[in-house]
Amino acid sequence: MAGPAPTPLLKDELDIVIPTIRSLDFLEMWRPFFEQYHLIIVQDGDPSKTIKVPQGFDYELYNRNDINRILGPKASCISFKDSACRCFGYMVSKKKYIYTIDDDCFVAKDPSGKEINALEQHINNLLSPATPFFFNTLYDPYREGADFVRGYPFSLREGAPTAVSHGLWLNIPDYDAPTQLVKPRERNTRYVDAVMTIPKGTLFPMCGMNLGFDRELIGPAMYFGLMGDGQPIGRYDDMWAGWCIKVICDHMGWGVKTGLPYIWHSKASNPFVNLKKEYKGIYWQEELIPFFQAVKLPKECTTVQQCYLELSKEVKAKLGKVDDYFIKLADAMVTWIEAWDELNPSGAAAAAAKVSNGPKK
């Protein structure tokens, strides 16, 4: 049994977004850590199915009918029959921070056997600065018991705002289908007690199942693309968002962290189903990665929305040659920003004000 509920950080400034097709019994395990927060549940699949949520949780639930009603024709940018639908929750949230988790992720234990409060660690990651411009060999210098090492420039020790906190998983690792097929019994038992900032100019594979971010900073770029029903690709929703947000964070001078916290990923998805979803992405990504490595956003782009619209133009011009899907995706990126700004009319103005103050706080 977990101990008494901790006093929650950012209780009124953070929403927990959960995409699901099933009843949320998994929340019982998270009760000590989540119960005092507001949940946004995005129901995928059949909207007539009833999703049961354990008693005592404060939540709002949106199904496909709600998404169509709220967004009208712009609902076309929200994926169906794919966990990419979670980004609708980011759009309708009114909070500064988001934590998103999958319904097959359980509470992990650290090596001492203590239950890990993943949400609290994400909040700590987001509230402390990042170090994207110069790597600290002791990893997070702001953590108790660590500091900047000898040779670290004093002019950079103030750090940069943290936009994204990317957590990891014990038990079932986040592998692609070919790796799952050749290592069907592999489990991650390594607990690495570290948080690091991903350096500027370096891309990474972002997994959406244990992820925190500053919605006010980077929210408009957290679009999980067109996946699932009617699309030629799946399981690249979080990857796409990760490449986009990293390019934009690098441009804006913000940091992305990875490492702690761990969750316990309870079940492996079917590798044959995954291969069918991923196979185009597996070879497309050999062209996508060089595209994101080379893309340069003009200095005139001073808001995330401007950056994202510029990126959509580049996607259409350069990746449209790879496959017509990317022309459709580029259009959906524009639709997403239009829908975001409709639901968050003050967001663009706030973003502009943030940038005018420069990347440092």
Side-chain angles (χ1 to χ4, degrees):
M1 276 292 287
T7 306
L9 290 160
L10 303 178
K11 176 179 170 306
D12 300 316
E13 293 180 75
L14 180 143
D15 280 332
I16 299 172
V17 174
I18 306 166
T20 194
I21 55 168
R22 59 182 69 85
S23 292
L24 295 177
D25 303 331
F26 93 113
L27 284 172
E28 281 301 347
M29 183 182 251
W30 288 100
R31 189 180 288 277
F33 307 123
F34 288 2
E35 192 170 32
Q36 296 181 64
Y37 290 90
H38 180 67
L39 312 181
I40 297 177
I41 298 159
V42 185
Q43 178 180 345
D44 197 17
D46 181 2
S48 66
K49 186 179 171 184
T50 302
I51 298 285
K52 291 193 178 68
V53 181
Q55 277 193 313
F57 285 94
D58 168 36
Y59 71 93
E60 54 194 293
L61 187 148
Y62 297 93
N63 63 28
R64 192 70 208 187
N65 295 340
D66 300 314
I67 295 171
N68 291 340
R69 174 176 50 80
I70 292 163
L71 294 184
K74 292 189 176 71
S76 62
C77 72
I78 305 295
S79 299
F80 184 55
K81 294 189 178 169
D82 193 281
S83 66
C85 67
R86 78 176 81 221
C87 62
F88 176 77
Y90 312 159
M91 189 188 270
V92 293
S93 169
K94 295 291 174 258
K95 305 284 174 62
K96 179 169 166 53
Y97 298 98
I98 295 284
Y99 174 54
T100 185
I101 183 170
D102 284 7
D103 61 13
D104 61 351
C105 294
F106 299 162
V107 178
K109 289 183 175 164
D110 69 17
S112 74
K114 182 171 178 276
E115 291 194 330
I116 297 163
N117 183 346
L119 181 50
E120 184 178 52
Q121 177 69 49
H122 276 294
I123 290 169
N124 291 339
N125 292 350
L126 290 165
L127 293 182
S128 63
T131 53
F133 308 117
F134 202 90
F135 190 81
N136 190 52
T137 50
L138 274 183
Y139 309 121
D140 182 0
Y142 305 104
R143 187 175 175 179
E144 199 177 332
D147 212 319
F148 291 98
V149 296
R150 182 169 57 88
Y152 201 101
F154 279 84
S155 58
L156 291 175
R157 294 189 182 194
E158 192 182 320
T162 302
V164 179
S165 169
H166 177 257
L168 299 173
W169 347 270
L170 291 170
N171 195 35
I172 307 288
D174 187 27
Y175 286 163
D176 54 36
T179 311
Q180 278 184 298
L181 285 164
V182 295
K183 292 180 161 185
R185 284 184 286 280
E186 184 150 293
R187 300 294 179 264
N188 183 34
T189 55
R190 278 194 339 138
Y191 179 95
V192 180
D193 188 8
V195 177
M196 62 187 80
T197 299
I198 299 167
K200 182 179 180 182
T202 300
L203 295 171
F204 76 112
M206 187 175 84
C207 170
M209 69 174 137
N210 173 27
L211 181 73
F213 62 93
D214 185 327
R215 182 181 170 278
E216 280 184 9
L217 274 189
I218 199 64
M222 268 294 176
Y223 175 47
F224 275 43
L226 289 176
M227 302 281 148
D229 202 45
Q231 308 301 338
I233 186 174
R235 284 172 58 82
Y236 273 86
D237 51 335
D238 42 8
M239 299 294 132
W240 181 261
W243 300 327
C244 292
I245 61 98
K246 189 60 170 65
V247 165
I248 292 172
C249 284
D250 286 354
H251 175 78
M252 301 293 262
W254 301 332
V256 176
K257 294 178 182 177
T258 187
L260 301 180
Y262 284 90
I263 51 82
W264 179 269
H265 186 209
S266 67
K267 67 175 194 291
S269 43
N270 184 314
F272 297 101
V273 173
N274 290 349
L275 188 59
K276 201 173 171 184
K277 292 177 180 177
E278 288 172 4
Y279 86 99
K280 281 186 187 289
I282 287 168
Y283 68 86
W284 281 348
Q285 72 185 13
E286 300 305 323
E287 300 198 48
L288 299 183
I289 301 302
F291 163 78
F292 282 104
Q293 286 171 328
V295 73
K296 292 279 180 287
L297 296 169
K299 62 180 187 299
E300 291 75 33
C301 292
T302 55
T303 69
V304 171
Q305 280 91 331
Q306 288 170 345
C307 290
Y308 203 71
L309 292 172
E310 183 63 32
L311 203 48
S312 76
K313 285 183 207 159
E314 292 285 320
V315 167
K316 186 173 264 190
K318 308 257 171 60
L319 297 179
K321 299 177 187 134
V322 175
D323 193 274
D324 287 349
Y325 165 73
F326 293 100
I327 295 169
K328 192 162 66 162
L329 178 55
D331 289 338
M333 291 167 75
V334 175
T335 305
W336 160 266
I337 291 293
E338 289 169 354
W340 182 283
D341 285 346
E342 264 177 38
L343 291 181
N344 302 278
S346 60
K354 261 187 182 24
V355 174
S356 65
N357 296 331
K360 291 194 174 176
K361 290 281 173 283

